[in-house]
């Protein structure tokens, strides 16, 4: 009976995760399909992805599969990410590039790219709601906002001064070392160290990035001649960027503090 219950909970966990990934999964599917089959000669592939992302967002809102609050996260993260993209793809930096043509874009950045980052914010906002997140030992707002502000700035400044990535990761570890996230799959809350949960999300994003670069959505300089897997070092970048997204969501969603069940304290009271 316990095995059957565990298998059901595992299956339900997967279903809920897939539901939370609706927007990101849609974007990834569009990238893969249009890489091998794209029939619209009068419309650039990048522009099609941009328009498809807008249409899918509208569909999610109309069908109420996404809330207005979650759409706010997407818009905010889209703006924040596009600013960073313009800088990173500038001729003087050229951290990566978009090899195909487009009409809807700013500088060297096609506009659909902001949605790729927004998909991360969308996932976090949705999974927060679907799994009814609760936390213990979550740091104060001023500390988390300061951390992600430094993280965002470091994405720009490390091109000119020392890269503080590992210092920021260490700061993250110290700040969230004791933080636990509680998530409800079925009836009861399960728990996981928040730092480990973030690592799993960053790993998933890194895998999705490999698919995206393989489908020629963007390429790194070392992929210009021939595709190769994205360096594992990029995991640290995605970890920090995902943390930025998480804190942005935390400013919109209410942080629920996990309360231990009162049964043990009642039992102790009876014994006394």
């Amino acid at each position: 009976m316990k095995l059957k219950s565990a298998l059901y909970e595992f299956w339900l966990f997967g279903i809920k995760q897939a539901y939370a990934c609706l927007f990101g999964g849609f974007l990834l599917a569009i990238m893969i399909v249009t890489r091998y089959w794209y029939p619209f000669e009068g419309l650039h592939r990048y522009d099609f992805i941009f328009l498809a992302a807008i249409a899918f967002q509208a569909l999610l809102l109309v069908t109420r599969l996404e809330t207005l609050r979650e759409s706010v996260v997407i818009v905010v993260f889209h703006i924040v990410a596009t600013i960073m993209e313009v800088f990173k793809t500038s001729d003087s930096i050229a951290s990566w590039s978009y090899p195909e043509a487009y009409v809807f874009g700013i500088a060297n950045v096609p506009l659909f790219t902001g949605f790729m980052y927004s998909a991360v914010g969308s996932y976090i906002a949705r999974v927060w709601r679907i799994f009814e997140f609760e936390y213990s030992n979550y740091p104060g707002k001023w500390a988390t906002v300061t951390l992600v502000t430094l993280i965002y700035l470091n994405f720009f400044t490390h091109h000119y001064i020392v890269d503080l990535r590992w210092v920021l990761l260490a700061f993250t570890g110290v700040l969230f070392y004791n933080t636990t996230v509680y998530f409800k799959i079925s009836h009861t809350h399960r728990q996981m160290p928040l730092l480990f949960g973030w690592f799993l999300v960053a790993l998933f994003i890194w895998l999705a990035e490999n698919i995206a670069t393989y489908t020629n959505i963007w390429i790194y300089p070392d992929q210009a001649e021939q595709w190769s897997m994205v360096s594992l070092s990029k995991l640290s970048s995605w970890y920090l960027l995902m943390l930025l997204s998480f804190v942005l969501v935390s400013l919109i969603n209410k942080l629920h503090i996990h309360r231990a069940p009162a049964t043990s304290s009642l039992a102790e009271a009876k014994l006394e």
Side-chain angles (χ1 to χ4, degrees):
M1 192 68 178
K2 287 184 177 180
L3 177 61
K4 184 178 179 180
S5 177
L7 289 174
Y8 169 75
E9 196 165 85
F10 181 75
W11 174 83
L12 185 60
F13 177 80
I15 294 296
K16 286 189 171 185
Q17 285 286 351
Y19 179 61
C21 290
L22 268 179
F23 185 47
F26 170 79
L27 282 180
L28 200 59
I30 286 290
M31 292 173 187
I32 296 171
V33 170
T34 56
R35 175 67 174 86
Y36 297 101
W37 180 72
Y38 186 69
F40 307 114
E41 294 183 5
L43 181 65
H44 296 305
R45 179 188 176 213
Y46 285 173
D47 293 333
F48 172 77
I49 296 174
F50 172 64
L51 296 174
I54 293 176
F56 192 71
Q57 274 297 303
L59 178 64
L60 290 177
L61 286 171
V62 169
T63 57
R64 297 185 179 181
L65 292 175
E66 183 174 270
T67 67
L68 283 174
R69 177 172 292 183
E70 289 163 358
S71 69
V72 169
V73 173
I74 288 174
V75 171
V76 171
F77 211 68
H78 196 117
I79 294 171
V80 170
T82 299
I83 293 171
M84 187 177 71
E85 279 277 340
V86 170
F87 174 80
K88 290 285 192 178
T89 60
S90 62
D91 295 337
S92 59
I93 303 298
S95 295
W96 57 82
S97 63
Y98 295 91
E100 298 183 24
Y102 54 88
V103 173
F104 299 111
I106 301 173
N108 295 330
V109 182
L111 285 182
F112 80 87
T113 59
F115 282 115
M116 296 189 299
Y117 296 90
S118 298
V120 179
S122 171
Y123 165 76
I124 292 174
R126 291 167 65 81
V127 81
W128 191 307
R129 170 171 56 88
I130 294 167
F131 285 95
E132 302 177 32
F133 280 178
E134 295 179 358
Y135 304 91
S136 63
N137 301 312
Y138 194 90
K141 182 182 294 185
W142 69 268
T144 59
V145 171
T146 300
L147 172 61
V148 298
T149 300
L150 293 174
I151 287 172
Y152 186 66
L153 291 175
N154 188 68
F155 280 116
F156 297 87
T157 59
H158 82 84
H159 291 283
Y160 307 106
I161 60 175
V162 64
D163 188 356
L164 298 176
R165 177 181 319 189
W166 300 108
V167 175
L168 293 169
L169 282 170
F171 185 22
T172 301
V174 171
L175 199 60
F176 290 95
Y177 178 75
N178 289 319
T179 305
T180 300
V181 58
Y182 298 82
F183 51 98
K184 182 184 289 187
I185 301 175
S186 181
H187 301 296
T188 59
H189 275 88
R190 306 299 180 185
Q191 66 184 70
M192 178 187 296
L194 187 57
L195 288 172
F196 181 66
W198 285 341
F199 171 76
L200 294 178
V201 175
L203 181 62
F204 179 81
I205 297 171
W206 177 79
L207 292 172
E209 180 183 37
N210 275 282
I211 296 173
T213 55
Y214 183 76
T215 58
N216 209 47
I217 292 299
W218 76 88
I219 56 173
Y220 291 104
D222 62 343
Q223 296 173 322
E225 298 297 328
Q226 183 179 2
W227 182 83
S228 59
M229 287 194 70
V230 177
S231 169
L232 275 171
S233 64
K234 290 292 181 182
L235 263 175
S236 62
S237 297
W238 283 117
Y239 194 97
L240 291 173
L241 196 65
M242 183 273 306
L243 173 56
L244 169 61
S245 179
F246 188 93
V247 173
L248 284 176
V249 173
S250 75
L251 298 178
I252 296 175
N253 286 352
K254 183 178 179 181
L255 281 169
H256 293 282
I257 305 303
H258 181 74
R259 306 296 182 188
T263 53
S264 59
S265 59
L266 287 174
E268 290 174 1
K270 288 179 180 179
L271 288 173
E272 291 175 358

